[in-house]
Amino acid sequence: MRLLAILVLIAAATPAGAQIYRWTDAQGRVNFSNGTPPPGVKATVVDASAKEAPPAPESTECYTIRCQGERMEERQRRREEQDARAAAERAALTPKPPRGLEFRKYISIQRGMSEGELLGIAGEPDLVADQGLAYTAPITVQTGPNVRSAARAGLSLKSYTYLPTPGDPFTTTITLVGGRVSELERVRKF
């Protein structure tokens, strides 16, 4: 008899068709209740058997462990992307190690050779300095039929520097005037 009474009480305590209501109060808070909402508010019935989903756009609240974990993973992914981008920027800003100029290449360089020939033998320099223009002495040029006048030519002036390395302790500076090797200087630095 006692068991029957307990079962009747349990059945009466849990309504078979219990509904869950959702509404927003005057302060903007979202409320959930299985009781009837206050009069005058627009309430919606929530399906109790619904599966979890991302929070609604109008609500940024996140109370489930799953939702919080997904947000944390998203923040970690964004942070890793930022760290990778920052590492790539730092790598781009770090100077290249000096290449130097081996002696066997140095002795192949001659005054008067073109800039292309120089780069073919010595390779890319460690430092390039564009020093502007070098002006030549006045010369006469043809400016019209039977007319000659004085003129000056501006030639580009560049300096290529190959820094010392442990295997080759010499600093080599090559000056180019008008795209041709003009001066060679090789100094021991270590």
Short mmCIF file of all heavy atoms in Angstrom, two decimals, residues 12-58:
data_model
loop_
_atom_site.label_atom_id
_atom_site.label_comp_id
_atom_site.label_asym_id
_atom_site.label_seq_id
_atom_site.Cartn_x
_atom_site.Cartn_y
_atom_site.Cartn_z
N ALA A 12 2.18 12.38 -9.80
CA ALA A 12 1.48 13.66 -9.70
C ALA A 12 2.47 14.83 -9.67
O ALA A 12 2.15 15.92 -10.14
CB ALA A 12 0.60 13.69 -8.45
N ALA A 13 3.65 14.62 -9.12
CA ALA A 13 4.63 15.70 -8.99
C ALA A 13 5.27 16.06 -10.32
O ALA A 13 5.69 17.20 -10.53
CB ALA A 13 5.70 15.30 -7.99
N THR A 14 5.40 15.14 -11.24
CA THR A 14 6.01 15.43 -12.54
C THR A 14 4.93 15.54 -13.60
O THR A 14 4.34 14.54 -13.99
CB THR A 14 7.01 14.32 -12.93
OG1 THR A 14 6.31 13.09 -12.95
CG2 THR A 14 8.18 14.27 -11.98
N PRO A 15 4.66 16.75 -14.08
CA PRO A 15 3.62 16.87 -15.11
C PRO A 15 4.09 16.21 -16.40
O PRO A 15 5.24 16.34 -16.80
CB PRO A 15 3.44 18.38 -15.26
CG PRO A 15 4.66 18.99 -14.66
CD PRO A 15 5.22 18.01 -13.69
N ALA A 16 3.22 15.54 -17.06
CA ALA A 16 3.56 14.79 -18.25
C ALA A 16 3.91 15.71 -19.40
O ALA A 16 4.82 15.45 -20.17
CB ALA A 16 2.41 13.86 -18.63
N GLY A 17 3.24 16.80 -19.55
CA GLY A 17 3.48 17.69 -20.69
C GLY A 17 4.09 19.00 -20.22
O GLY A 17 3.60 20.06 -20.60
N ALA A 18 5.07 18.98 -19.37
CA ALA A 18 5.66 20.21 -18.84
C ALA A 18 6.28 21.02 -19.97
O ALA A 18 6.97 20.49 -20.82
CB ALA A 18 6.72 19.88 -17.80
N GLN A 19 5.99 22.33 -19.93
CA GLN A 19 6.52 23.21 -20.95
C GLN A 19 7.53 24.16 -20.31
O GLN A 19 7.38 24.54 -19.15
CB GLN A 19 5.40 24.03 -21.60
CG GLN A 19 4.48 23.17 -22.43
CD GLN A 19 3.43 24.02 -23.13
OE1 GLN A 19 3.10 25.09 -22.66
NE2 GLN A 19 2.92 23.52 -24.24
N ILE A 20 8.52 24.54 -21.09
CA ILE A 20 9.52 25.49 -20.63
C ILE A 20 9.32 26.76 -21.43
O ILE A 20 9.25 26.73 -22.66
CB ILE A 20 10.94 24.94 -20.81
CG1 ILE A 20 11.11 23.65 -20.01
CG2 ILE A 20 11.97 25.98 -20.39
CD1 ILE A 20 12.41 22.95 -20.24
N TYR A 21 9.23 27.88 -20.73
CA TYR A 21 8.99 29.17 -21.36
C TYR A 21 10.27 30.01 -21.33
O TYR A 21 11.03 29.94 -20.36
CB TYR A 21 7.88 29.93 -20.63
CG TYR A 21 6.55 29.21 -20.66
CD1 TYR A 21 6.14 28.41 -19.60
CD2 TYR A 21 5.70 29.35 -21.75
CE1 TYR A 21 4.93 27.74 -19.63
CE2 TYR A 21 4.49 28.69 -21.79
CZ TYR A 21 4.11 27.89 -20.72
OH TYR A 21 2.90 27.23 -20.76
N ARG A 22 10.41 30.80 -22.37
CA ARG A 22 11.57 31.71 -22.46
C ARG A 22 11.04 33.10 -22.75
O ARG A 22 10.24 33.28 -23.66
CB ARG A 22 12.50 31.27 -23.59
CG ARG A 22 13.69 32.17 -23.80
CD ARG A 22 14.50 31.67 -25.00
NE ARG A 22 15.74 32.38 -25.14
CZ ARG A 22 15.92 33.46 -25.89
NH1 ARG A 22 14.91 33.96 -26.57
NH2 ARG A 22 17.08 34.04 -25.94
N TRP A 23 11.52 34.10 -21.98
CA TRP A 23 11.12 35.48 -22.22
C TRP A 23 12.22 36.42 -21.74
O TRP A 23 13.11 36.03 -21.01
CB TRP A 23 9.78 35.80 -21.55
CG TRP A 23 9.85 35.93 -20.06
CD1 TRP A 23 10.03 37.07 -19.35
CD2 TRP A 23 9.74 34.89 -19.10
NE1 TRP A 23 10.05 36.80 -18.01
CE2 TRP A 23 9.87 35.46 -17.83
CE3 TRP A 23 9.55 33.51 -19.19
CZ2 TRP A 23 9.81 34.72 -16.66
CZ3 TRP A 23 9.48 32.77 -18.03
CH2 TRP A 23 9.62 33.38 -16.78
N THR A 24 12.15 37.65 -22.21
CA THR A 24 13.10 38.69 -21.82
C THR A 24 12.37 39.70 -20.96
O THR A 24 11.32 40.21 -21.35
CB THR A 24 13.69 39.39 -23.07
OG1 THR A 24 14.23 38.39 -23.92
CG2 THR A 24 14.77 40.37 -22.70
N ASP A 25 12.94 40.00 -19.78
CA ASP A 25 12.28 40.95 -18.87
C ASP A 25 12.64 42.39 -19.23
O ASP A 25 13.35 42.65 -20.21
CB ASP A 25 12.61 40.63 -17.41
CG ASP A 25 14.09 40.76 -17.10
OD1 ASP A 25 14.83 41.32 -17.93
OD2 ASP A 25 14.51 40.32 -16.01
N ALA A 26 12.14 43.33 -18.43
CA ALA A 26 12.34 44.76 -18.70
C ALA A 26 13.81 45.17 -18.63
O ALA A 26 14.23 46.13 -19.28
CB ALA A 26 11.52 45.59 -17.71
N GLN A 27 14.65 44.48 -17.85
CA GLN A 27 16.07 44.79 -17.74
C GLN A 27 16.89 44.16 -18.87
O GLN A 27 18.10 44.32 -18.92
CB GLN A 27 16.65 44.33 -16.39
CG GLN A 27 16.20 45.16 -15.20
CD GLN A 27 14.83 44.74 -14.70
OE1 GLN A 27 14.41 43.61 -14.94
NE2 GLN A 27 14.14 45.65 -14.03
N GLY A 28 16.26 43.40 -19.74
CA GLY A 28 16.97 42.80 -20.86
C GLY A 28 17.53 41.42 -20.55
O GLY A 28 18.26 40.86 -21.35
N ARG A 29 17.22 40.85 -19.40
CA ARG A 29 17.72 39.52 -19.03
C ARG A 29 16.80 38.45 -19.63
O ARG A 29 15.58 38.60 -19.64
CB ARG A 29 17.77 39.36 -17.52
CG ARG A 29 18.85 40.19 -16.88
CD ARG A 29 18.91 39.90 -15.42
NE ARG A 29 17.68 40.38 -14.80
CZ ARG A 29 17.62 41.09 -13.69
NH1 ARG A 29 18.72 41.40 -13.06
NH2 ARG A 29 16.46 41.49 -13.20
N VAL A 30 17.41 37.39 -20.09
CA VAL A 30 16.65 36.27 -20.65
C VAL A 30 16.30 35.34 -19.49
O VAL A 30 17.16 34.97 -18.69
CB VAL A 30 17.47 35.53 -21.72
CG1 VAL A 30 16.71 34.33 -22.25
CG2 VAL A 30 17.84 36.47 -22.84
N ASN A 31 15.02 34.97 -19.39
CA ASN A 31 14.52 34.10 -18.32
C ASN A 31 13.96 32.82 -18.90
O ASN A 31 13.35 32.82 -19.98
CB ASN A 31 13.42 34.82 -17.53
CG ASN A 31 13.95 36.04 -16.83
OD1 ASN A 31 14.75 35.94 -15.93
ND2 ASN A 31 13.51 37.22 -17.28
N PHE A 32 14.13 31.73 -18.16
CA PHE A 32 13.55 30.44 -18.50
C PHE A 32 12.77 29.96 -17.28
O PHE A 32 13.24 30.10 -16.14
CB PHE A 32 14.65 29.41 -18.83
CG PHE A 32 15.39 29.70 -20.10
CD1 PHE A 32 16.55 30.45 -20.09
CD2 PHE A 32 14.91 29.23 -21.31
CE1 PHE A 32 17.23 30.72 -21.25
CE2 PHE A 32 15.59 29.49 -22.48
CZ PHE A 32 16.75 30.24 -22.45
N SER A 33 11.61 29.38 -17.52
CA SER A 33 10.81 28.88 -16.40
C SER A 33 9.85 27.82 -16.91
O SER A 33 9.42 27.85 -18.07
CB SER A 33 10.03 30.04 -15.77
OG SER A 33 9.14 29.54 -14.78
N ASN A 34 9.49 26.88 -15.99
CA ASN A 34 8.46 25.91 -16.35
C ASN A 34 7.10 26.38 -15.87
O ASN A 34 6.10 25.74 -16.10
CB ASN A 34 8.79 24.52 -15.83
CG ASN A 34 8.91 24.49 -14.32
OD1 ASN A 34 8.89 25.53 -13.67
ND2 ASN A 34 9.06 23.30 -13.78
N GLY A 35 7.08 27.54 -15.18
CA GLY A 35 5.82 28.15 -14.77
C GLY A 35 5.38 29.17 -15.80
O GLY A 35 6.15 29.60 -16.66
N THR A 36 4.14 29.57 -15.72
CA THR A 36 3.60 30.53 -16.66
C THR A 36 4.33 31.87 -16.48
O THR A 36 4.52 32.34 -15.36
CB THR A 36 2.09 30.73 -16.41
OG1 THR A 36 1.47 29.45 -16.39
CG2 THR A 36 1.47 31.58 -17.49
N PRO A 37 4.77 32.50 -17.59
CA PRO A 37 5.47 33.78 -17.48
C PRO A 37 4.53 34.89 -17.01
O PRO A 37 3.32 34.75 -17.08
CB PRO A 37 5.96 34.04 -18.90
CG PRO A 37 5.12 33.20 -19.78
CD PRO A 37 4.65 32.05 -18.96
N PRO A 38 5.08 36.01 -16.53
CA PRO A 38 4.23 37.10 -16.06
C PRO A 38 3.36 37.63 -17.21
O PRO A 38 3.74 37.55 -18.37
CB PRO A 38 5.22 38.18 -15.60
CG PRO A 38 6.57 37.57 -15.65
CD PRO A 38 6.49 36.29 -16.39
N PRO A 39 2.23 38.20 -16.87
CA PRO A 39 1.37 38.72 -17.93
C PRO A 39 2.00 39.94 -18.60
O PRO A 39 2.71 40.71 -17.98
CB PRO A 39 0.08 39.10 -17.19
CG PRO A 39 0.46 39.22 -15.76
CD PRO A 39 1.64 38.33 -15.55
N GLY A 40 1.77 40.08 -19.89
CA GLY A 40 2.26 41.24 -20.63
C GLY A 40 3.61 41.04 -21.29
O GLY A 40 4.12 41.94 -21.94
N VAL A 41 4.26 39.89 -21.14
CA VAL A 41 5.54 39.65 -21.80
C VAL A 41 5.32 38.63 -22.91
O VAL A 41 4.46 37.76 -22.83
CB VAL A 41 6.63 39.12 -20.82
CG1 VAL A 41 6.99 40.17 -19.82
CG2 VAL A 41 6.21 37.84 -20.16
N LYS A 42 6.13 38.76 -23.94
CA LYS A 42 6.05 37.83 -25.07
C LYS A 42 6.96 36.65 -24.74
O LYS A 42 8.17 36.79 -24.64
CB LYS A 42 6.50 38.53 -26.35
CG LYS A 42 6.39 37.65 -27.56
CD LYS A 42 6.87 38.37 -28.80
CE LYS A 42 6.90 37.42 -29.96
NZ LYS A 42 7.67 37.94 -31.07
N ALA A 43 6.36 35.49 -24.56
CA ALA A 43 7.11 34.29 -24.20
C ALA A 43 7.03 33.28 -25.33
O ALA A 43 6.06 33.21 -26.07
CB ALA A 43 6.56 33.68 -22.92
N THR A 44 8.11 32.49 -25.47
CA THR A 44 8.13 31.41 -26.44
C THR A 44 8.30 30.10 -25.70
O THR A 44 8.95 30.04 -24.64
CB THR A 44 9.27 31.58 -27.45
OG1 THR A 44 10.50 31.64 -26.74
CG2 THR A 44 9.11 32.82 -28.29
N VAL A 45 7.74 29.05 -26.25
CA VAL A 45 7.88 27.73 -25.66
C VAL A 45 9.14 27.10 -26.20
O VAL A 45 9.36 27.06 -27.40
CB VAL A 45 6.64 26.86 -25.98
CG1 VAL A 45 6.81 25.46 -25.41
CG2 VAL A 45 5.38 27.51 -25.45
N VAL A 46 9.99 26.60 -25.29
CA VAL A 46 11.26 25.99 -25.66
C VAL A 46 11.10 24.48 -25.65
O VAL A 46 10.52 23.93 -24.70
CB VAL A 46 12.37 26.42 -24.68
CG1 VAL A 46 13.69 25.75 -25.02
CG2 VAL A 46 12.51 27.92 -24.68
N ASP A 47 11.59 23.81 -26.66
CA ASP A 47 11.54 22.35 -26.73
C ASP A 47 12.58 21.79 -25.76
O ASP A 47 13.79 22.02 -25.93
CB ASP A 47 11.81 21.90 -28.16
CG ASP A 47 11.67 20.40 -28.32
OD1 ASP A 47 11.16 19.74 -27.39
OD2 ASP A 47 12.07 19.89 -29.39
N ALA A 48 12.15 21.06 -24.76
CA ALA A 48 13.06 20.53 -23.75
C ALA A 48 13.96 19.43 -24.31
O ALA A 48 15.04 19.17 -23.78
CB ALA A 48 12.26 19.98 -22.57
N SER A 49 13.56 18.79 -25.39
CA SER A 49 14.38 17.72 -25.96
C SER A 49 15.31 18.22 -27.05
O SER A 49 15.95 17.42 -27.73
CB SER A 49 13.47 16.62 -26.51
OG SER A 49 12.69 17.14 -27.57
N ALA A 50 15.43 19.54 -27.21
CA ALA A 50 16.30 20.10 -28.24
C ALA A 50 17.76 19.85 -27.89
O ALA A 50 18.14 19.82 -26.73
CB ALA A 50 16.05 21.59 -28.39
N LYS A 51 18.57 19.68 -28.92
CA LYS A 51 20.00 19.46 -28.72
C LYS A 51 20.71 20.80 -28.57
O LYS A 51 20.21 21.83 -29.01
CB LYS A 51 20.59 18.69 -29.89
CG LYS A 51 20.02 17.31 -30.01
CD LYS A 51 20.72 16.51 -31.05
CE LYS A 51 20.08 15.13 -31.08
NZ LYS A 51 20.82 14.18 -31.78
N GLU A 52 21.90 20.75 -27.98
CA GLU A 52 22.68 21.98 -27.79
C GLU A 52 23.10 22.54 -29.14
O GLU A 52 23.41 21.82 -30.06
CB GLU A 52 23.92 21.69 -26.96
CG GLU A 52 23.61 21.42 -25.52
CD GLU A 52 24.88 21.28 -24.70
OE1 GLU A 52 25.88 21.93 -25.04
OE2 GLU A 52 24.85 20.54 -23.72
N ALA A 53 23.13 23.84 -29.20
CA ALA A 53 23.54 24.53 -30.42
C ALA A 53 24.31 25.77 -30.00
O ALA A 53 24.32 26.14 -28.83
CB ALA A 53 22.31 24.91 -31.24
N PRO A 54 24.98 26.41 -30.95
CA PRO A 54 25.67 27.64 -30.58
C PRO A 54 24.67 28.67 -30.07
O PRO A 54 23.49 28.62 -30.42
CB PRO A 54 26.31 28.12 -31.89
CG PRO A 54 26.02 27.09 -32.91
CD PRO A 54 25.15 26.06 -32.32
N PRO A 55 25.10 29.61 -29.25
CA PRO A 55 24.16 30.59 -28.71
C PRO A 55 23.53 31.42 -29.83
O PRO A 55 24.14 31.63 -30.87
CB PRO A 55 25.01 31.47 -27.80
CG PRO A 55 26.41 31.11 -28.05
CD PRO A 55 26.45 29.82 -28.78
N ALA A 56 22.33 31.86 -29.59
CA ALA A 56 21.62 32.67 -30.57
C ALA A 56 22.35 33.99 -30.75
O ALA A 56 23.02 34.47 -29.83
CB ALA A 56 20.19 32.91 -30.09
N PRO A 57 22.24 34.61 -31.93
CA PRO A 57 22.94 35.87 -32.17
C PRO A 57 22.57 36.96 -31.18
O PRO A 57 23.38 37.79 -30.83
CB PRO A 57 22.54 36.26 -33.59
CG PRO A 57 21.99 35.03 -34.20
CD PRO A 57 21.52 34.16 -33.10
N GLU A 58 21.28 36.97 -30.72
CA GLU A 58 20.88 38.02 -29.79
C GLU A 58 21.40 37.77 -28.39
O GLU A 58 21.35 38.64 -27.53
CB GLU A 58 19.36 38.18 -29.77
CG GLU A 58 18.60 37.03 -29.12
CD GLU A 58 18.25 35.90 -30.08
OE1 GLU A 58 18.60 35.98 -31.27
OE2 GLU A 58 17.63 34.93 -29.63
#
